[in-house]
Amino acid sequence: MKKVVFASLLAFASSTLASLPVAMAQDSGSQSGQITIKDPAEYNAYTNAIGQSAPAAKAAAIESFLQQYPNSVVKAEMLEQLVGAYQATGDAAKTFDAAKRLLQVDPTNLRALTFVVYVGKAQASGDQAKLDDAAANAQKGLTSTKPASMSDADYQKLKDLATPIFYDAIGADDVAKKDYKDAITAYTSELGAYKDPAQTTQNPALADTYYLGNAYVQEDPKDLVNGIWYLTRAAQYLPEPYKTTAEKAAEYWYTKYTGKMDGFDQVKQLAHDNVTPPASYKPVPAPPPPSPQELAHQAIVGTPDPSKLALGDQEYILSNGSTDDAQKVWGVLQGKTTQIPGVVISATADSVQLAVSDDAKQSQKADFTVNMKASLKDVPATGSTVTLIGTFDSYTQNPPMIIMKDGEAKPAAKPPARRPAHRPSSN
């Protein structure tokens, strides 16, 4: 079920190429002032291509130019213009191809890396190799430097748009590999990269907020405080059915952490108003449950006469109690003969191992060993339910095991005696 939820949410978070910010498709600016095209025919073809106003016509003209002048001094610029033109047409496949071609000429081109990462992640559809490739390109994008031809302001604007896209791809790759620690780093960095908090209520940040919450509760050890926060934050803005999924997860972990639902409405309001946990977000953990040894002692204190305890409780104290508490129980059991009902885990003619307690039955592990007084003629089958009679002989706490001696099969119940048929008396 969890895989279905993740796949469904991923599809919801993946939007079309047209949803990329318009600034991603803007021209990078002509480099003709820095680069001289000596061939007049090439120059005319260049000015004709970049002068096209319709995106489809511009893309066609640039493709024609690149085919005619494959080694042009303005090849990188034209490929960057081509990326923008194809994105303006909404053609994701051609935009992706143009961006890949641009990276062959300019490996650190920020605009090309952004498109390759964005489209590559959207097209991965669970393909780990494609996710790895998108994440690798995202790492390149995070370390790319400003080209000399771009102003500081334009570069910073592009960097602000690209950075969350890069962290989104890296986080998705980490989650797919169940590397929750690195996923937390990536998604936290993504949320911190948005300049406007309102952007975190839209995709991909909104879906990634949900993934961040899940990463916190999946990592080892779990961080329930942060996990509850980001799951609750996502639930405030996700549409159905994702809202219910996120909120149920948040409620589950909140109850797990605090032991109750009191205060959760206040957490929801805080999460609605804040991207990250404010200082006032301080869920109080429930007190730790009693240890097995403490539970065993409580059983002894509550029933001063250990012989009155049920067999399951006596076994629990022997397995988990302190030395003194275990000895109190063993003092009334040792040498006592009783019936032991259980499920056969293994058996030979001379010894049968049984799962008697509910925990032992669930884990299919023996907690009683019955050594037979005489070899069995019919060895019980593994998995069968039997009742044996034996005398308590010894026990071990680790692993928990009670050993019985002089074992024998419980005699079959005798059929009820038949009453003689009533004969009417004769007069």
Side-chain angles (χ1 to χ4, degrees):
M1 177 62 73
K2 186 177 290 184
K3 290 183 178 179
V4 173
V5 171
F6 271 97
S8 178
L9 189 57
L10 182 61
F12 162 69
S14 299
S15 49
T16 64
L17 186 65
S19 68
L20 272 172
V22 174
M24 292 299 301
Q26 292 177 348
D27 292 343
S28 61
S30 173
Q31 299 177 14
S32 59
Q34 293 79 35
I35 299 175
T36 301
I37 301 176
K38 296 179 180 180
D39 182 355
E42 181 182 345
Y43 179 77
N44 289 336
Y46 166 80
T47 56
N48 173 66
I50 65 171
Q52 298 292 328
S53 57
K58 185 172 185 176
I62 293 174
E63 290 284 20
S64 177
F65 176 88
L66 291 171
Q67 186 174 7
Q68 190 173 1
Y69 304 101
N71 300 313
S72 174
V73 291
V74 292
K75 182 176 182 178
E77 177 195 346
M78 295 301 274
L79 284 168
E80 190 161 4
Q81 296 268 359
L82 184 63
V83 170
Y86 276 136
Q87 197 241 330
T89 68
D91 192 324
K94 289 185 177 180
T95 304
F96 185 73
D97 176 71
K100 296 283 280 187
R101 288 155 62 189
L102 175 54
L103 289 177
Q104 293 175 359
V105 179
D106 183 4
T108 61
N109 186 282
L110 184 58
R111 183 175 280 104
L113 284 168
T114 304
F115 279 109
V116 166
V117 169
Y118 183 88
V119 179
K121 184 237 177 181
Q123 293 179 345
S125 299
D127 186 320
Q128 189 62 57
K130 290 183 179 179
L131 276 176
D132 288 345
D133 187 58
N137 282 315
Q139 294 287 3
K140 293 178 184 177
L142 290 173
T143 58
S144 67
T145 56
K146 185 184 79 66
S149 61
M150 186 178 290
S151 69
D152 290 344
D154 285 345
Y155 178 74
Q156 189 58 51
K157 185 176 182 181
L158 182 58
K159 192 80 171 176
D160 290 344
L161 294 172
T163 299
I165 294 172
F166 293 148
Y167 282 123
D168 167 55
I170 294 169
D173 186 54
D174 290 332
V175 168
K177 294 187 290 190
K178 298 184 179 181
D179 186 349
Y180 298 114
K181 181 178 180 181
D182 283 355
I184 289 170
T185 299
Y187 287 138
T188 302
S189 298
E190 177 191 349
L191 295 180
Y194 289 104
K195 301 302 181 183
D196 182 359
Q199 292 176 288
T200 66
T201 66
Q202 304 164 6
N203 282 320
L206 181 53
D208 289 345
T209 300
Y210 174 79
Y211 294 141
L212 177 57
N214 266 293
Y216 272 118
V217 301
Q218 292 294 329
E219 70 169 339
D220 188 19
K222 299 179 188 301
D223 182 344
L224 294 187
V225 172
N226 278 307
I228 292 164
W229 175 265
Y230 288 106
L231 289 170
T232 307
R233 168 73 178 175
Q236 305 316 298
Y237 295 98
L238 283 168
E240 294 293 0
Y242 315 108
K243 177 182 178 67
T244 296
T245 298
E247 191 153 275
K248 284 185 176 179
E251 291 174 353
Y252 172 82
W253 291 113
Y254 184 82
T255 305
K256 193 87 170 175
Y257 184 74
T258 66
K260 55 188 178 180
M261 281 299 293
D262 294 356
F264 187 66
D265 285 341
Q266 289 87 337
V267 173
K268 289 166 64 175
Q269 186 60 53
L270 281 175
H272 179 277
D273 299 338
N274 298 272
V275 179
T276 57
S280 56
Y281 172 64
K282 296 179 180 179
V284 179
S291 68
Q293 187 174 95
E294 289 171 334
L295 288 173
H297 184 67
Q298 290 174 10
I300 284 290
V301 171
T303 309
D305 182 358
S307 66
K308 302 297 184 182
L309 290 166
L311 176 60
D313 293 333
Q314 292 171 331
E315 180 188 354
Y316 186 88
I317 295 168
L318 289 176
S319 301
N320 299 284
S322 65
T323 301
D324 287 345
D325 287 341
Q327 283 302 314
K328 289 177 182 178
V329 171
W330 187 243
V332 301
L333 291 181
Q334 189 174 25
K336 180 181 177 181
T337 300
T338 189
Q339 295 183 8
I340 305 296
V343 176
V344 178
I345 300 302
S346 65
T348 66
D350 298 316
S351 182
V352 179
Q353 289 201 323
L354 298 175
V356 176
S357 70
D358 289 339
D359 286 347
K361 291 175 183 177
Q362 288 295 325
S363 59
Q364 298 182 348
K365 292 183 179 179
D367 55 347
F368 273 74
T369 297
V370 182
N371 295 317
M372 309 309 294
K373 181 188 296 186
S375 297
L376 293 169
K377 294 181 180 179
D378 297 318
V379 178
T382 298
S384 61
T385 299
V386 299
T387 298
L388 301 178
I389 297 173
T391 301
F392 287 96
D393 187 34
S394 62
Y395 76 96
T396 60
Q397 271 199 333
N398 189 21
M401 180 66 70
I402 295 175
I403 296 94
M404 312 288 287
K405 65 180 181 179
D406 297 332
E408 56 185 346
K410 179 184 177 182
K414 295 181 179 179
R418 296 182 63 183
R419 294 181 179 180
H422 177 71
R423 295 181 180 179
S425 60
S426 56
N427 293 325

